[in-house]
Amino acid sequence: MRRSIATVSVSGTLAEKFAAIRAAGFDAVEIFENDLLYFEGSPADVRHMAADLGLDIVLYQPFRDFDGVPAERLARNVERVKRKFDVMQQLGTDRLLVCSNVSPDMICDDALLAEQLAVLARAAGDAGVTICYEALAWGRHVRTFGHAWKLVNTVNHRNLTLALDSFHTLSLDDAPDGIAAIPGDRIGFVQIADAPRMQMDVLEWSRHYRCFPGQGDFALADFTAQVVKSGYKGPLSLEIFNDGFRGAPPAATAADGYRSLLLLEERTRDALQAEGVAAPALWHAPAAPANAQWQFLEFAVDDTARAQVANWLDKLHFRRAGQHRSKDVTLYQHGTAAIVLNAEPDSFAGAFFQRHGLSLCASAFRVDDAALALERAAGFGYQPFSGRVGPNERVVPAVQGPDGSLNYFVNEQPGQPTLFEADFSLTDIDGPVEVGPITGIDHVSLSLPAGSFDAWVLFLKSVFGLDAGAAVLLPDPYGLVRSRALFSQNRALRMVLNASLDQHTAAAETVRAYHGTGLNHVAFGTSDIFRAVTEFEAAGVPLLRVPANYYDDLDARFALDPSFLDSLRQHNLLYDRDERGGEFLHAYTETLDQRFFLELVERRNGYDGYGAPNAAVRLAAQARQRALAARHGGEEA
Amino acid sequence: MRRSIATVSVSGTLAEKFAAIRAAGFDAVEIFENDLLYFEGSPADVRHMAADLGLDIVLYQPFRDFDGVPAERLARNVERVKRKFDVMQQLGTDRLLVCSNVSPDMICDDALLAEQLAVLARAAGDAGVTICYEALAWGRHVRTFGHAWKLVNTVNHRNLTLALDSFHTLSLDDAPDGIAAIPGDRIGFVQIADAPRMQMDVLEWSRHYRCFPGQGDFALADFTAQVVKSGYKGPLSLEIFNDGFRGAPPAATAADGYRSLLLLEERTRDALQAEGVAAPALWHAPAAPANAQWQFLEFAVDDTARAQVANWLDKLHFRRAGQHRSKDVTLYQHGTAAIVLNAEPDSFAGAFFQRHGLSLCASAFRVDDAALALERAAGFGYQPFSGRVGPNERVVPAVQGPDGSLNYFVNEQPGQPTLFEADFSLTDIDGPVEVGPITGIDHVSLSLPAGSFDAWVLFLKSVFGLDAGAAVLLPDPYGLVRSRALFSQNRALRMVLNASLDQHTAAAETVRAYHGTGLNHVAFGTSDIFRAVTEFEAAGVPLLRVPANYYDDLDARFALDPSFLDSLRQHNLLYDRDERGGEFLHAYTETLDQRFFLELVERRNGYDGYGAPNAAVRLAAQARQRALAARHGGEEA
């Protein structure tokens, strides 16, 4: 299917929009009227500009409030629409989107509407234009595609077709089931938009909070499957009104839009396949890796930072497990958790350190087939990366994530040396190392600039096939933090994204400190958190202090066994319980280098969250710690 | 009345909140439970911290979901609330806010509720605590103060009182009229919050968009007048959940909160006075100046910037009208519009130029009584300012606005030299100078950091008594701009505030370029805009080019006379018409120094707006101009 996007979905002047849209891979575009209005040049100039880039103008929109009007108004509307037909002729496009009337004084009479739409259809026929009639979710009388289709079907004129928009259907919880029964050639245009579920006026919701497929909460694959089953062969076109996109650079937005359509096509294809319907025209790629798990986390360090991190790893009883054969790179292990410290100056890590300081420069994922994982990621347009490789060392495929950090795909072959064996001179054994109470990496949490939050959601969903939980707002003493967890089906991979909505939170400071990339924290899993905190505290790991009032409140909320509560209090452990009795015990370290920190977590009885009710306590404690450190620094200065 | 604020209304740690609240002038505070929870110290420590500052803890909140529960749950709730009584004893406060139950499975039976509230009242009585029972707007069963009062009145126990919150009443459009009839000593607590009118879920609206009185759309003076008439003598307490305040420095937020209460008290007093009710306990100050008008705008310049601006003023046929007697300051006039260019290095303007570059460093307002205007502004806590004054020069009272710029109050006495005569060596005459088609200043538009938008609203409302129009969102090619007009009753003063919601708009760039203070543009009024643009274009004033497509659309929208439309097109004039036939013709200059610009406006038939429908065209044209300039700059470099 052709992939299109409305100009309103990205920022910039019309020339900037076109360039970004074409570069992203789209071959078609809808012109939103205002973009033409603000353009200094004629509609023909717009057509030439699009043609020069190889972009087809597939729709002009919107035309409003045509239908259900008194007779004298109808005559004016026909004059109005004929002027638009002239503009369209110059633009070189033959589809016009006409929205259902929203005027409070419209005449709500289906027979009259059909009559007037027939007038419109005949005028369109004379001009060689196809009308695409769309039911707005906030239309005065026509709100559903079913109602719009009834009118289009009644008129039964080839120049009057139905326009679908997933937002208008799904925002009203209107079932898309009937779409498949509409003849595909009577559907003139299909617009696609996702959105987070929100309790607000649908017009406001539509105008400000739409997002790309996969970034919101709508079941778009089911919607699109209905469209495919109807036999519709026209473009799928993104029409996204999003305040964030309006303020973001257009190239990155358009690239994410294109990816989101690919992901939607793949999911639609899967949905159809499950029903036994083949859809060869839809995009597909190798499936997302089913059994992905953490292989290692790689930090860009210099000598000072390495000493700092190594000191912490040592206190957490990580074992120095190996030294890279050709580079200044060290491997640490504890359970299945592996941490790589890369101090090689003339390398990707070196460049990353130059730019971001001590930071997470790469994440490596163990997958069943690394080549297929790379093919998939590259298919979504993420940039493959190859670094310098020493003799006999493994070439590990990688792509760059939204912040420019690397994501390695590692697979091991039976009978062959493992990656660690190939690249590292190992101290003794490879594989899981039971040196203490840490079993592995539970989750990794990133601090992101607010503008790249949804780009990360799309990256993790498309490349790794992760699912996303609901977004939550966490109160930091200095502002709100938006947080959303993504996880693989078997929960071997869990990532938490955080973005500050304000400038003064710790998350925002991390993003600044790292110049746009920021590890927030790594959470290590353990099956005995009491043992873990006891051992690590004895080794000198500074745990974040939790206020006594927290435990009083915990008691009031959960009525815990007094001795259990006492143990939590004694070890600065936080606690959460879900409705099914799952329990979460966790502790945080103080921040390393005023920036990132570590967490220890124990999950009991299938607890599947991240202790969100405790986040505010942690954020407040960290704010206090920062304030103390700042005061201390001030006294020293 | 005592002035209080809930700790949730400002950002920071509890210690930072207390300090900011006290510094702002409040003598009382409500403790929001989470702030205690996150505090590392006991409730007694909180009490001491408050006492040391002279802050009284007047309420602890909230306690949730007590009422309408099964019997076994009631017993648990009583245990729960007794623990809170213990905390309150340590905190040294005797009022507890209890919210109406929001649980979907609550038992909606008024008789049962009254029974259970009676249990609560008796437990509170035993502990010496007063319960303040509040109807949440989204309560399951009890949503209005009237319903809550019915229950409280039924129980009729001195330890159970009614809590009022303006948000819960006014968000539901519930009339506050019945409040006056409630005995004041049965009202235990009154919370005050304003909010912009929004079409969204009331809970979300409440949690994120509340604001200080005067910053939103609620008729709070009427609400508060009802409270006063009831005989209530307790505190008025601000309880503001606002995402912006959560991320803003607490001192400025708390200061604005205090001001907003003063303004509310004044307006309440006025409302009561109109009914013949005296309210001596409410704050008052000299009335806002009724006949304020622009006296002059003062720009901080150096020699280069002065030459630039003077060149523009010259082309706009401003007359160089005088030279300051003791400072490097020049006066320009055209009609009643006066512009002062201040290049005096050792002065407020000099310091302002150092910090902000070419910028609007002061605005002078002609008022009937400058001393009273200053007294009023200072009463609201705005900082009075006195500059250096030469012999025989006038001392002009001034206060600093939210961006640190000066606001002078000027009054002239019959028979005395005018300010301009006293301070300037005038070229010839003083007073209105008819040298061209400009009649005076129509409005001044500022570009603000998003975080200071509401601070400006409060400043203009309180100091000048301006009214505010509705806030609108304007689409810039690189993001959205929030815009709101404020105006005096006779429209002699009009100001438009703009804040960028994104980082890439021209407004945002202006704010950055000026380091936090930014004139967006000055609009000069004329009674003959065709003459004005003809003259000024001939003199070399570069007008912003308007795309031809704009005029095609204008024609489709308004069906204008062809020759009139042609004149508009020819002169790059923008056009708007209101529903009552008022017309607005306006033109913009290109930007001066890539930053601010000028506008020429003609109002016909009482048009009262600012051409908002044309803002997007202007923003797009300016973006194009900037892009061209950047490309041009690049080619030169």
Side-chain angles (χ1 to χ4, degrees):
Chain A
M1 285 174 121
R2 301 190 67 184
R3 295 175 195 119
S4 167
I5 187 168
T7 49
V8 73
S9 313
V10 301
S11 72
T13 62
L14 192 57
E16 290 168 335
K17 290 177 186 221
F18 275 5
I21 286 167
R22 186 66 189 109
F26 294 95
D27 52 15
V29 73
E30 308 173 30
I31 303 280
F32 193 70
E33 181 167 51
N34 285 355
D35 280 308
L36 178 64
L37 214 64
Y38 309 153
F39 179 71
E40 187 159 352
S42 69
D45 293 338
V46 174
R47 183 181 67 213
H48 295 312
M49 191 165 77
D52 287 349
L53 287 165
L55 277 176
D56 202 6
I57 299 176
V58 288
L59 183 93
Y60 183 62
Q61 68 129 321
F63 192 85
R64 300 187 191 279
D65 299 343
F66 183 92
D67 49 330
V69 297
E72 73 281 6
R73 180 68 182 265
L74 181 71
R76 284 224 307 282
N77 282 352
V78 169
E79 280 316 300
R80 243 187 350 125
V81 81
K82 281 183 179 169
R83 292 193 206 202
K84 298 298 171 188
F85 293 162
D86 294 343
V87 169
M88 291 170 63
Q89 167 126 37
Q90 291 185 62
L91 272 177
T93 186
D94 61 0
R95 282 196 197 88
L96 175 67
L97 187 87
V98 173
C99 309
S100 63
N101 200 323
V102 300
S103 168
D105 57 6
M106 86 168 273
I107 306 163
C108 302
D109 171 349
D110 278 4
L112 180 79
L113 260 67
E115 224 172 81
Q116 298 190 335
L117 288 171
V119 171
L120 177 61
R122 285 192 294 272
D126 293 345
V129 163
T130 299
I131 302 295
C132 307
Y133 182 62
E134 178 181 60
L136 297 179
W138 53 91
R140 169 70 182 87
H141 179 57
V142 180
R143 291 197 197 102
T144 63
F145 75 88
H147 194 168
W149 166 238
K150 196 185 121 204
L151 294 168
V152 167
N153 198 28
T154 302
V155 173
N156 192 23
H157 189 294
R158 61 188 299 277
N159 293 83
L160 179 70
T161 63
L162 179 68
L164 295 172
D165 180 318
S166 60
F167 182 90
H168 293 301
T169 298
L170 301 175
S171 63
L172 296 183
D173 287 322
D174 185 22
D177 301 14
I179 293 174
I182 299 171
D185 60 359
R186 302 296 295 134
I187 299 175
F189 205 70
V190 176
Q191 292 175 322
I192 298 285
D194 201 349
R197 280 273 162 213
M198 299 180 87
Q199 295 300 320
M200 67 188 305
D201 176 67
V202 67
L203 172 58
E204 289 296 303
W205 186 19
S206 172
R207 287 218 176 134
H208 300 286
Y209 298 99
R210 291 182 176 213
C211 56
F212 290 134
Q215 295 177 335
D217 295 326
F218 288 160
L220 285 174
D222 295 345
F223 178 91
T224 312
Q226 289 283 325
V227 170
V228 172
K229 285 196 280 185
S230 78
Y232 171 75
K233 303 279 185 252
L236 287 184
S237 189
L238 298 167
E239 190 201 26
I240 316 293
F241 304 91
N242 179 295
D243 288 356
F245 295 174
R246 283 180 185 274
T253 307
D256 273 350
Y258 193 73
R259 287 169 180 137
S260 75
L261 266 186
L262 300 184
L263 183 61
L264 175 63
E265 288 185 38
E266 180 187 58
R267 295 200 169 177
T268 303
R269 194 182 165 103
D270 291 347
L272 287 166
Q273 209 140 42
E275 300 182 51
V277 179
L282 294 178
W283 189 77
H284 70 293
N291 299 305
Q293 51 185 295
W294 298 104
Q295 174 87 355
F296 60 84
L297 298 176
E298 180 174 334
F299 289 83
V301 294
D302 63 359
D303 287 346
T304 311
R306 174 166 53 192
Q308 264 186 315
V309 181
N311 177 36
W312 274 54
L313 292 173
D314 187 51
K315 288 177 184 167
L316 289 163
H317 298 166
F318 272 70
R319 192 182 62 109
R320 194 168 175 288
Q323 186 63 38
H324 196 279
R325 294 190 193 280
S326 68
K327 298 177 192 158
D328 189 359
V329 175
T330 324
L331 170 67
Y332 291 82
Q333 288 181 310
H334 185 161
T336 62
I339 304 284
V340 166
L341 303 186
N342 190 332
E344 183 72 16
D346 179 22
S347 72
F348 179 86
F352 214 78
F353 186 86
Q354 284 298 320
R355 178 158 167 68
H356 301 294
L358 167 59
S359 52
L360 182 67
C361 65
S363 306
F365 300 90
R366 178 81 172 266
V367 296
D368 293 338
D369 190 321
L372 286 182
L374 179 72
E375 188 185 331
R376 177 178 176 81
F380 278 108
Y382 293 105
Q383 188 59 46
F385 176 88
S386 301
R388 182 168 54 84
V389 174
N392 298 322
E393 292 168 15
R394 184 87 77 81
V395 178
V396 185
V399 290
Q400 290 192 275
D403 66 347
S405 70
L406 295 185
N407 296 267
Y408 285 108
F409 304 112
V410 182
N411 62 225
E412 308 291 10
Q413 306 289 349
Q416 300 289 316
T418 65
L419 172 65
F420 289 154
E421 286 166 352
D423 285 18
F424 286 84
S425 161
L426 294 175
T427 313
D428 38 41
I429 50 163
D430 188 19
V433 189
E434 287 184 23
V435 290
I438 288 176
T439 50
I441 292 172
D442 182 86
H443 64 274
V444 169
S445 172
L446 302 180
S447 290
L448 306 174
S452 74
F453 196 94
D454 284 335
W456 271 94
V457 170
L458 198 58
F459 175 71
L460 296 173
K461 280 194 167 184
S462 58
V463 173
F464 297 99
L466 301 192
D467 290 324
V472 294
L473 278 184
L474 306 175
D476 179 287
Y478 301 100
L480 291 172
V481 174
R482 183 175 170 218
S483 182
R484 195 171 188 191
L486 290 105
F487 39 81
S488 58
Q489 208 157 11
N490 64 10
R491 305 298 192 268
L493 279 190
R494 293 174 181 269
M495 294 195 69
V496 178
L497 308 179
N498 294 298
S500 249
L501 305 185
D502 298 288
Q503 291 304 305
H504 304 284
T505 63
E509 292 195 5
T510 303
V511 167
R512 265 195 300 279
Y514 285 92
H515 302 101
T517 179
L519 177 67
N520 185 271
H521 68 272
V522 178
F524 295 114
T526 174
S527 57
D528 186 349
I529 197 160
F530 289 105
R531 177 188 155 203
V533 293
T534 306
E535 275 189 25
F536 297 152
E537 279 188 301
V541 174
L543 290 188
L544 191 70
R545 285 191 58 183
V546 177
N549 302 317
Y550 167 77
Y551 296 98
D552 296 342
D553 180 68
L554 208 56
D555 194 20
R557 277 159 58 213
F558 294 118
L560 297 172
D561 175 81
S563 73
F564 180 69
L565 185 69
D566 213 54
S567 302
L568 294 178
R569 186 187 289 116
Q570 193 185 321
H571 291 292
N572 288 291
L573 285 172
L574 300 162
Y575 177 83
D576 190 28
R577 191 160 73 201
D578 64 26
E579 288 175 358
R580 294 184 308 276
E583 292 181 304
F584 193 57
L585 288 79
H586 56 143
Y588 295 96
T589 68
E590 293 191 359
T591 52
L592 173 65
D593 197 24
Q594 292 298 306
R595 297 185 291 191
F596 72 84
F597 54 96
L598 303 172
E599 184 182 5
L600 294 163
V601 315
E602 181 180 344
R603 296 177 183 276
R604 296 180 177 178
N605 300 324
Y607 181 93
D608 199 25
Y610 303 84
N614 299 325
V617 176
R618 189 253 298 169
L619 290 165
Q622 289 175 328
R624 219 167 24 241
Q625 192 199 348
R626 279 191 299 154
L628 277 175
R631 205 174 311 151
H632 189 61
E635 280 164 10
E636 283 183 342
Chain B
M1 284 174 123
R2 300 191 67 183
R3 297 177 194 117
S4 167
I5 187 169
T7 50
V8 73
S9 314
V10 300
S11 72
T13 62
L14 192 57
E16 289 168 334
K17 290 176 187 222
F18 275 6
I21 287 167
R22 187 66 188 109
F26 293 95
D27 53 14
V29 74
E30 308 173 30
I31 302 280
F32 193 69
E33 180 166 51
N34 284 357
D35 280 308
L36 179 64
L37 214 65
Y38 310 153
F39 179 71
E40 187 159 353
S42 68
D45 294 337
V46 174
R47 183 181 67 214
H48 294 314
M49 191 164 76
D52 287 350
L53 287 165
L55 276 177
D56 202 6
I57 299 176
V58 288
L59 183 93
Y60 183 62
Q61 67 130 321
F63 192 85
R64 299 187 192 279
D65 299 343
F66 183 92
D67 49 329
V69 297
E72 74 279 8
R73 180 67 182 267
L74 181 71
R76 285 225 305 282
N77 282 352
V78 170
E79 280 315 300
R80 247 191 342 129
V81 80
K82 281 184 178 167
R83 293 194 205 199
K84 299 298 171 187
F85 293 162
D86 293 344
V87 169
M88 291 170 64
Q89 167 125 41
Q90 291 185 63
L91 273 177
T93 187
D94 60 2
R95 281 195 198 88
L96 175 67
L97 187 87
V98 174
C99 308
S100 63
N101 199 324
V102 300
S103 168
D105 57 7
M106 87 167 272
I107 305 163
C108 301
D109 172 349
D110 278 5
L112 179 79
L113 261 65
E115 223 172 80
Q116 296 189 337
L117 288 172
V119 172
L120 177 60
R122 285 193 293 273
D126 293 345
V129 164
T130 299
I131 302 295
C132 306
Y133 182 62
E134 177 182 60
L136 297 178
W138 52 91
R140 170 72 181 85
H141 178 57
V142 179
R143 291 196 197 102
T144 62
F145 76 87
H147 194 168
W149 166 239
K150 195 185 122 204
L151 294 168
V152 168
N153 198 30
T154 302
V155 173
N156 192 22
H157 189 292
R158 62 188 299 276
N159 293 82
L160 178 69
T161 63
L162 179 68
L164 295 172
D165 180 319
S166 60
F167 182 90
H168 293 301
T169 298
L170 301 177
S171 64
L172 296 183
D173 287 321
D174 185 21
D177 302 14
I179 293 173
I182 300 171
D185 60 359
R186 301 297 295 134
I187 299 174
F189 206 69
V190 176
Q191 292 174 322
I192 298 286
D194 201 348
R197 281 275 162 211
M198 299 180 88
Q199 295 300 319
M200 68 189 304
D201 177 68
V202 68
L203 172 58
E204 288 296 304
W205 184 21
S206 173
R207 286 217 176 136
H208 300 287
Y209 297 99
R210 291 183 175 211
C211 56
F212 290 134
Q215 294 178 335
D217 296 325
F218 288 159
L220 285 174
D222 294 345
F223 178 91
T224 312
Q226 289 283 325
V227 170
V228 172
K229 284 196 281 185
S230 78
Y232 171 75
K233 302 278 185 253
L236 287 184
S237 190
L238 297 168
E239 190 201 26
I240 316 293
F241 304 92
N242 179 295
D243 289 357
F245 295 174
R246 283 180 186 275
T253 307
D256 273 351
Y258 193 73
R259 287 170 179 136
S260 75
L261 266 186
L262 299 184
L263 184 62
L264 174 63
E265 287 185 41
E266 180 187 59
R267 296 198 168 178
T268 303
R269 194 184 167 103
D270 290 348
L272 288 166
Q273 210 141 41
E275 301 182 50
V277 179
L282 295 177
W283 189 77
H284 69 295
N291 300 305
Q293 51 186 296
W294 299 105
Q295 174 87 356
F296 61 84
L297 298 177
E298 179 174 335
F299 289 83
V301 294
D302 63 359
D303 288 344
T304 312
R306 174 166 53 191
Q308 263 186 316
V309 180
N311 177 34
W312 273 54
L313 292 175
D314 188 51
K315 290 176 183 167
L316 289 163
H317 299 167
F318 271 71
R319 192 181 63 106
R320 194 167 174 289
Q323 186 63 37
H324 196 278
R325 295 189 191 281
S326 68
K327 297 178 192 159
D328 189 0
V329 174
T330 324
L331 170 67
Y332 291 81
Q333 287 182 309
H334 186 160
T336 63
I339 303 284
V340 165
L341 303 186
N342 190 333
E344 182 72 17
D346 179 22
S347 72
F348 179 85
F352 214 77
F353 186 86
Q354 285 297 321
R355 177 158 168 69
H356 302 294
L358 167 58
S359 51
L360 182 66
C361 66
S363 307
F365 301 90
R366 177 82 172 266
V367 296
D368 292 337
D369 190 321
L372 287 181
L374 178 72
E375 187 185 331
R376 177 178 176 83
F380 279 108
Y382 294 105
Q383 188 59 46
F385 175 87
S386 301
R388 183 166 53 84
V389 174
N392 298 322
E393 292 168 15
R394 185 89 76 81
V395 177
V396 185
V399 291
Q400 291 193 275
D403 66 347
S405 70
L406 296 185
N407 296 267
Y408 286 107
F409 304 112
V410 181
N411 62 227
E412 309 290 11
Q413 305 290 347
Q416 299 289 317
T418 65
L419 172 64
F420 289 155
E421 287 166 351
D423 285 18
F424 287 83
S425 162
L426 295 175
T427 313
D428 38 41
I429 49 163
D430 186 19
V433 189
E434 287 183 22
V435 291
I438 289 176
T439 49
I441 292 171
D442 182 87
H443 65 274
V444 169
S445 172
L446 302 179
S447 290
L448 306 173
S452 75
F453 196 95
D454 284 335
W456 272 94
V457 171
L458 198 59
F459 175 70
L460 296 173
K461 279 194 168 185
S462 57
V463 173
F464 296 98
L466 301 192
D467 291 324
V472 293
L473 278 184
L474 307 175
D476 180 287
Y478 302 100
L480 291 171
V481 174
R482 184 176 170 217
S483 182
R484 195 171 188 191
L486 290 107
F487 39 81
S488 58
Q489 207 157 9
N490 64 9
R491 305 298 192 268
L493 279 189
R494 294 173 180 270
M495 295 195 70
V496 178
L497 308 179
N498 294 296
S500 249
L501 305 184
D502 298 287
Q503 291 303 304
H504 304 284
T505 63
E509 292 194 6
T510 303
V511 167
R512 265 195 300 280
Y514 285 92
H515 302 101
T517 178
L519 177 66
N520 185 271
H521 68 272
V522 178
F524 295 114
T526 174
S527 56
D528 185 349
I529 198 160
F530 290 104
R531 176 188 157 203
V533 293
T534 307
E535 276 189 25
F536 297 153
E537 279 187 299
V541 174
L543 290 189
L544 191 70
R545 286 192 56 183
V546 178
N549 302 316
Y550 168 77
Y551 295 98
D552 296 343
D553 181 68
L554 208 56
D555 193 20
R557 277 161 58 215
F558 294 118
L560 297 173
D561 175 80
S563 72
F564 180 69
L565 185 69
D566 213 54
S567 303
L568 295 177
R569 187 188 286 116
Q570 193 184 323
H571 291 292
N572 288 290
L573 285 172
L574 300 162
Y575 177 83
D576 190 29
R577 192 162 70 202
D578 64 25
E579 289 175 357
R580 293 185 308 276
E583 292 181 302
F584 193 58
L585 288 80
H586 55 144
Y588 295 97
T589 68
E590 292 191 357
T591 52
L592 172 66
D593 197 24
Q594 293 296 308
R595 297 183 293 190
F596 72 84
F597 54 96
L598 303 173
E599 184 182 5
L600 293 164
V601 315
E602 181 182 343
R603 296 176 183 276
R604 296 180 176 177
N605 301 324
Y607 181 94
D608 199 24
Y610 303 84
N614 299 325
V617 176
R618 188 252 299 169
L619 290 165
Q622 288 176 328
R624 220 170 21 243
Q625 191 199 350
R626 279 192 299 153
L628 278 175
R631 206 174 311 151
H632 189 63
E635 279 163 12
E636 284 183 341

